[in-house]
Amino acid sequence: MPDHPHSAIARRLKRANGHLETIIEMIEQDRPCAQIAQQLQAVESAIESAKKALIHDHISHGLERSLKASGSKGQAALRDFKLIAKYL
């Protein structure tokens, strides 16, 4: 049985959460700000990536079913939407 579609997203967020806990420890240990900022950037990037994956999953699965019913115009609209959504 395949994973739930959002399980990969949950794994990404759990990994980001682990990094965040490490960053808190770094702050408590008075580590250099540049190191902390670098790690914060990595966490932000991971969260942004998870958000994009969630949105694209919704587009691909939720909207796709609705637009298939509207024929070729709906399919063209979905392709256009997916193309622009990659810039979210």
Side-chain angles (χ1 to χ4, degrees), residues 49-63:
S49 176
K51 179 185 81 169
K52 286 180 181 181
L54 180 71
I55 291 168
H56 285 274
D57 182 61
H58 174 73
I59 291 168
S60 293
H61 295 101
L63 294 179

Side-chain angles (χ1 to χ4, degrees), residues 10 24 47 49 56 64 70 75 77 79 82:
I24 292 167
I47 291 170
S49 176
H56 285 274
E64 193 170 291
S70 63
Q75 289 297 315
R79 276 192 305 276
K82 284 182 177 181

